[in-house]
Amino acid sequence: MNETLEGTVRDLSRFGEGVVKTEQGMVFAPGVLPGERVTLDRVKKQGGALRADRARVLDASTQRVEPACPIVGRCGGCPLMIATAPLQAKFKRGLLEQAIAGLPGADGVMLGWIGAKERLGYRRRARMGWQVGGRGLRLGYHPPRSDQLADVRSCAVLHPVLDQGFRHVRRAVAGHLAGKGELNLAMGEGDRAVVAMRSDEMQPPELYRLLESLVQEGMLAGAALRAGGASSDATWGEPREKREGADGEPLWGTVAGFSQANDEVNRALVGRVLELARPAGRHVLELFSGHGNLTVALAREAESLLAIELDEAAAEACRENLRARGLSATVRTDDAETYRPQTAPEVAVIDPPRTGAPGAVKRLVHLGVPEIVYVSCDPPTLGRDLKQLTDAGYELTDAIALDMFPQTAHLEVVVRVEKT
């Protein structure tokens, strides 16, 4: 099937695509909004669903706005940039509603919403890739369901410091990259960007010299490169992430590791976690602690805190951030999904990756932890894990949606459950 269809957009998928009703059935299409009448080009079956490569709007929604980025349709990273802020908020609150629908306690929970004032230039970290092939260099983001990169020259949602750093790197390394690889950007020392590059393929010696020059000339705070099967990074300057923590003090992290991308919304997230976990004078277990974004806040109040993080570099950064504040906590390098605490804490705080934490949840249930605060970046896996908890006798007491990534279909959520 490869044809043109007309239809009306009925809804948005959880990835921000339009769900269009046509004579051939429902079709997923990019760049459209609910209520719009559209023409769909090159409709084909992909992954068990009908999808259109392109959509032309015949009757536009009143909620449509001119996107701030000229490549929004090709990049795919900000599918909601064509929508007003109220429509984006409605869509994202709906994701949380779907995730908790039917769970014990959900009917009595007032869903919280924390929006973002900064809707452009807010991202303090980003992950990109590069490909060198017949079309030359492509350096940018991976569009959904595509193995080809969208070439990016500038990014409207990147913090200006990162966008400038990216442009410095792009100009310098164009023509000096081989094969394919990954490029991570983050905020570094002195309000300059840091970059970490990874590739399984050998890279030209000139690339190493160019990264060193970018640091020496002050265009980057630091850089790291690991290529061709090397067991460690080549580094220049200070190649670590440095951000302002929710407490206003510096928070060090790893460029290629995980941290929240939006400082404004992250401060609100940390505040909500503290309100729900109530760590003062209590024994707290934190799983997936990363470099300590939540750890340093919990440690200020908890009677005791045990933090578990698999990545050793992140765990060591967490220890450093605690020491810099004069705080005490036990940070162990271990797998939070399989870690078996000896005794049950009074409250557990978990912040897993997008895949969720079914193994960790199972162990918390087995321990009989009375209260759990769960931070999620993926409502469907959150819903799955909450089902496991409520089946074991827990009840939902609080649910808050946070717009950590304006213009995108991503949503951050904080929920609390307690044993009934």
Side-chain angles (χ1 to χ4, degrees):
M1 181 179 184
N2 194 344
E3 59 180 286
T4 298
L5 296 173
E6 284 193 9
T8 300
V9 185
R10 302 296 297 271
D11 204 349
L12 294 175
S13 77
R14 70 184 183 94
F15 302 108
E17 302 166 298
V19 183
V20 186
K21 183 178 182 181
T22 74
E23 61 183 14
Q24 296 291 336
M26 294 300 181
V27 181
F28 293 97
V32 296
L33 297 175
E36 293 184 329
R37 184 76 180 166
V38 298
T39 296
L40 307 178
D41 295 329
R42 296 191 297 276
V43 177
K44 54 191 174 184
K45 195 165 187 179
Q46 183 181 11
L50 292 177
R51 299 187 182 278
D53 285 345
R54 188 166 67 95
R56 288 173 288 148
V57 178
L58 304 177
D59 296 309
S61 167
T62 58
Q63 298 297 303
R64 176 176 286 274
V65 297
E66 187 67 25
C69 174
I71 65 167
V72 66
R74 299 197 306 275
C75 169
C78 295
L80 301 184
M81 192 177 277
I82 61 172
T84 62
L87 180 57
Q88 291 189 36
K90 179 182 178 182
F91 165 74
K92 293 187 179 186
R93 282 195 293 261
L95 295 177
L96 177 54
E97 290 169 355
Q98 293 170 27
I100 66 174
L103 296 177
D107 289 343
V109 169
M110 180 72 71
L111 297 186
W113 170 256
I114 295 175
K117 294 178 183 177
E118 293 182 339
R119 306 194 62 77
L120 297 173
Y122 65 85
R123 286 198 67 135
R124 265 80 170 172
R125 62 184 298 115
R127 179 172 296 166
M128 300 183 180
W130 79 80
Q131 298 171 333
V132 180
R135 297 182 179 180
L137 171 66
R138 286 177 174 263
L139 177 56
Y141 298 113
H142 279 283
R145 291 175 300 279
S146 175
D147 57 1
Q148 295 297 311
L149 287 168
D151 198 43
V152 174
R153 303 302 172 116
S154 181
C155 177
V157 295
L158 277 185
H159 187 280
V161 167
L162 289 197
D163 195 45
Q164 182 181 53
F166 169 67
R167 286 185 276 115
H168 285 322
V169 171
R170 185 185 177 94
R171 282 195 297 267
V173 306
H176 302 285
L177 291 171
K180 60 183 180 180
E182 181 179 277
L183 182 149
N184 293 274
L185 287 162
M187 302 294 288
E189 186 96 69
D191 280 335
R192 289 172 293 164
V194 289
V195 60
M197 303 177 73
R198 304 282 187 271
S199 178
D200 292 334
E201 302 172 59
M202 296 291 291
Q203 296 299 313
E206 184 64 18
L207 178 60
Y208 293 77
R209 291 192 290 271
L210 288 167
L211 291 174
E212 181 179 25
S213 295
L214 287 172
V215 174
Q216 288 179 342
E217 294 169 11
M219 295 180 183
L220 297 175
L225 173 61
R226 185 182 303 186
S231 58
S232 61
D233 292 340
T235 62
W236 302 272
E238 178 54 271
R240 294 191 298 164
E241 180 183 50
K242 184 183 181 183
R243 300 266 292 281
E244 182 182 283
D247 57 3
E249 298 183 30
L251 195 70
W252 290 94
T254 60
V255 180
F258 170 78
S259 68
Q260 297 291 1
N262 188 320
D263 282 356
E264 172 206 346
V265 180
N266 180 61
R267 286 190 289 271
L269 181 147
V270 174
R272 291 300 186 274
V273 169
L274 288 178
E275 288 176 10
L276 299 181
R278 298 173 296 162
R282 307 175 84 186
H283 299 288
V284 181
L285 171 66
E286 183 189 5
L287 301 179
F288 309 95
S289 57
H291 63 265
N293 180 48
L294 298 174
T295 315
V296 296
L298 295 167
R300 288 188 189 279
E301 301 183 18
E303 175 69 22
S304 70
L305 173 62
L306 171 60
I308 307 298
E309 170 55 44
L310 180 60
D311 183 81
E312 174 56 35
E316 184 52 41
C318 184
R319 298 182 189 105
E320 179 182 350
N321 289 320
L322 287 163
R323 287 194 298 269
R325 291 162 169 79
L327 299 173
S328 176
T330 300
V331 182
R332 291 185 181 170
T333 305
D334 209 329
D335 187 350
E337 273 286 80
T338 59
Y339 181 73
R340 296 176 180 273
Q342 297 302 307
T343 59
E346 292 173 88
V347 61
V349 176
I350 66 174
D351 186 4
R354 193 169 300 280
T355 51
V361 165
K362 181 179 180 180
R363 283 164 176 76
L364 294 177
V365 168
H366 179 73
L367 278 172
V369 179
E371 300 173 23
I372 301 169
V373 177
Y374 190 134
V375 181
S376 171
C377 60
D378 188 72
T381 56
L382 171 66
R384 177 202 65 200
D385 291 349
L386 287 178
K387 179 68 163 55
Q388 184 179 351
L389 285 165
T390 55
D391 284 349
Y394 287 82
E395 184 172 295
L396 186 70
T397 65
D398 299 87
I400 303 156
L402 301 98
D403 196 9
M404 189 72 72
F405 300 95
Q407 320 297 354
T408 79
H410 298 298
L411 180 67
E412 200 78 11
V413 176
V414 181
V415 300
R416 178 183 177 275
V417 297
E418 64 179 25
K419 188 75 171 176
T420 57

